[in-house]
Amino acid sequence: MACPRGRLPVEGRGQVTCILGGVVRLCFAMTGVFCFIPARLRRHAQSSAGRMQMSYQSVERDDGTTAVKISVSRKQRYVRREGTCNVVFRHLPEEWLLFVTDIFTTLVEIRWRVMLLIFALSYILSWLFFGILFWVIALAHGDVHDHRTAPCVYEVRSFTAAFLFSLETQTTIGYGSRGMSENCAVAIAVVTVQDVVSCFIDTFVIGIAVAKMASARKRAQTVGFSNCAVVNLRDGHLCLSWRVGDFRRNHLVEGTARAQIVCADTHATGRADVTYRDLVIQQPDIVLVTPTTICHRIQEGSPLYGMSRADLQRSDLEVVVSFTYTDDSTGTLHQTRTSYTQDDILWGHVFQEMIRAGRRRYTVDYVLFNQTAKVLAPEISAEAYQLKRWPRPSPRPSPRPDKFPSPAKVMLPLPDAHLRHDTLADAARAET
């Protein structure tokens, strides 16, 4: 539908109605493209990810090494592989008010396409709003009907010209044909307000864009964990190990590794009881110059102390690991998370060495970051292995010792033979 062209008030209102209708249709179309369709795809992907989770299993090669095979399981993760929590909050009190109150954090956390849509609409709606104001001023001053009078704004005789003048004023284009005059103080005040609003919008857009690009989530994606965890023997103890590495060239100042076991017991009614238990890490403080293997010794007090390989496969536990660190480039605190289910823990495997020493420098081969090799490891629990290796003394009481031991039971380290003969003789006389 083409907009009518004319200079009468009725035709001017028709132009406004046509332009407003076009802007509204454009906003709905942009909202559908940027929000509705990606949201449908995202919900479908999340539902599929909730039903089918990827797990990693070892596959032995001919050369003795072990590669990781990706398989699909139906275990519902508490923390996804990429580190996001698989939790949906519902019926939050005053949810929209919380988002509006902290609008800066809300805009930083939303997706790029939604943020770009909001910023585009903020500019378009501000141009349209001030264009309507300039057109109303032109109508009230008589610039639309009588072209012989001195106008408030030069070359603004219709709503289209008012909208273009608003756009040129806010974006400081200045083509030269339209401009302000000193005949209307109201128009001058509206231009001043529009300039101030334009500065606020520009500052807000630039600040949000910079904060979003410098978000810690993007840096956290460059620090990753291995696809699987392994259980093997270290210094005579069964240990649970996983790898963490920095995929960028710049090094981290320092970092702290943590691990927890999350167990979610789901009842028949759908209620879930979530419990957390900490895992003690041998060396939690790490300077991540090269990929490092983080180790948890399965000893007394560990939640895995009484679990064998078969018990681990039957369990429903999930090991949530995190690495909190400081970047030396920006000095910002970041955190990277992931989780391992029972299908992701390889019993009797060890990570392959990926650091080689050269003449002048060390070489790190990230091809071996997720690859493991099979080693000998007991399939019994750590508790049973410790009892088998160091048996405990019998709890039965020992026989009652003699009140006066015989000379044969007396063992005294004496250096000379004649001294030993004299001592035995003295002991025989004392017994008599």
Side-chain angles (χ1 to χ4, degrees):
M1 177 180 177
C3 294
R5 299 180 62 184
R7 298 186 183 278
L8 296 178
V10 176
E11 295 178 353
R13 288 194 292 270
Q15 289 181 0
V16 173
T17 304
C18 183
I19 293 176
L20 286 177
V23 170
V24 170
R25 287 192 295 269
L26 178 62
C27 293
F28 276 109
M30 293 176 64
T31 304
V33 171
F34 281 89
C35 298
F36 181 72
I37 297 177
R40 289 288 300 273
L41 296 176
R42 185 172 63 255
R43 285 195 296 268
H44 176 71
Q46 289 180 356
S47 61
S48 301
R51 291 190 300 266
M52 295 185 297
Q53 296 289 340
M54 288 187 179
S55 60
Y56 301 85
Q57 297 178 355
S58 61
V59 177
E60 296 184 8
R61 295 177 176 175
D62 297 336
D63 54 357
T65 60
T66 303
V68 177
K69 177 183 177 181
I70 300 177
S71 59
V72 176
S73 64
R74 297 183 179 271
K75 171 71 170 60
Q76 190 75 300
R77 288 182 179 270
Y78 187 75
V79 177
R80 299 188 182 96
R81 298 289 303 183
E82 65 273 13
T84 58
C85 296
N86 192 20
V87 179
V88 178
F89 296 97
R90 293 180 179 178
H91 306 294
L92 291 175
E94 300 179 352
E95 181 178 2
W96 287 103
L97 182 60
L98 296 176
F99 287 122
V100 174
T101 304
D102 192 6
I103 186 64
F104 184 82
T105 305
T106 302
L107 293 178
V108 170
E109 291 180 349
I110 62 176
R111 297 179 178 273
W112 274 101
R113 53 177 175 267
V114 181
M115 188 194 69
L116 294 177
L117 174 63
I118 293 174
F119 289 160
L121 290 179
S122 65
Y123 281 111
I124 293 174
L125 294 178
S126 64
W127 298 338
L128 184 62
F129 173 75
F130 287 102
I132 294 175
L133 291 183
F134 288 125
W135 181 69
V136 171
I137 292 173
L139 282 177
H141 194 261
D143 299 341
V144 177
H145 310 297
D146 190 2
H147 294 181
R148 293 174 298 178
T149 60
C152 291
V153 182
Y154 296 109
E155 299 297 332
V156 175
R157 306 291 183 178
S158 63
F159 177 76
T160 305
F163 178 77
L164 292 177
F165 175 73
S166 173
L167 188 150
E168 294 171 12
T169 301
Q170 189 164 338
T171 57
T172 65
I173 295 178
Y175 289 116
S177 60
R178 283 175 286 269
M180 287 295 302
S181 66
E182 66 277 4
N183 299 323
C184 297
V186 178
I188 297 175
V190 172
V191 169
T192 304
V193 172
Q194 186 177 9
D195 290 339
V196 174
V197 172
S198 174
C199 292
F200 274 109
I201 295 177
D202 294 339
T203 304
F204 205 68
V205 168
I206 295 174
I208 294 296
V210 171
K212 197 169 183 63
M213 288 187 293
S215 177
R217 296 180 181 178
K218 300 300 180 182
R219 182 65 179 94
Q221 295 177 0
T222 62
V223 176
F225 293 93
S226 56
N227 293 333
C228 60
V230 297
V231 176
N232 49 39
L233 283 175
R234 280 194 175 190
D235 300 330
H237 296 272
L238 283 173
C239 298
L240 174 67
S241 306
W242 59 93
R243 260 181 180 168
V244 60
D246 186 10
F247 304 137
R248 291 176 62 95
R249 294 182 180 274
N250 56 333
H251 300 157
L252 306 177
V253 176
E254 62 178 350
T256 303
R258 290 194 60 187
Q260 281 186 333
I261 285 185
V262 180
C263 295
D265 297 331
T266 306
H267 300 271
T269 58
R271 181 174 60 90
D273 296 333
V274 183
T275 58
Y276 309 89
R277 296 192 63 181
D278 292 334
L279 296 180
V280 180
I281 297 176
Q282 298 302 115
Q283 295 179 351
D285 298 328
I286 301 171
V287 178
L288 198 60
V289 179
T290 58
T292 305
T293 301
I294 302 174
C295 177
H296 162 69
R297 179 176 293 179
I298 305 176
Q299 56 187 359
E300 190 174 358
S302 173
L304 305 174
Y305 188 59
M307 281 191 178
S308 62
R309 181 176 182 177
D311 297 336
L312 181 63
Q313 294 298 323
R314 291 191 301 265
S315 66
D316 197 21
L317 59 85
E318 181 177 350
V319 182
V320 179
V321 298
S322 65
F323 185 65
T324 307
Y325 53 92
T326 304
D327 190 3
D328 61 347
S329 300
T330 60
T332 309
L333 191 66
H334 309 272
Q335 187 182 65
T336 303
R337 296 182 300 268
T338 190
S339 66
Y340 301 105
T341 60
Q342 70 276 9
D343 297 328
D344 304 326
I345 301 176
L346 306 180
W347 195 290
H349 288 74
V350 64
F351 287 110
Q352 293 191 9
E353 295 295 335
M354 53 186 301
I355 303 176
R356 297 290 184 269
R359 293 184 178 180
R360 296 184 178 180
R361 64 187 67 182
Y362 293 92
T363 304
V364 179
D365 187 6
Y366 269 96
V367 176
L368 306 174
F369 185 74
N370 294 314
Q371 294 190 7
T372 63
K374 194 171 183 180
V375 294
L376 294 177
E379 298 186 358
I380 58 178
S381 64
E383 182 180 10
Y385 177 72
Q386 297 297 330
L387 291 176
K388 184 177 179 180
R389 187 179 180 185
W390 296 296
R392 295 180 180 178
S394 176
R396 294 178 300 177
S398 59
R400 184 177 180 181
D402 299 335
K403 186 174 181 181
F404 298 100
S406 59
K409 296 181 180 180
V410 178
M411 302 296 295
L412 297 177
L414 297 176
D416 299 331
H418 66 279
L419 293 177
R420 182 180 178 184
H421 177 73
D422 296 341
T423 305
L424 291 176
D426 294 340
R429 284 194 299 270
E431 187 178 2
T432 304

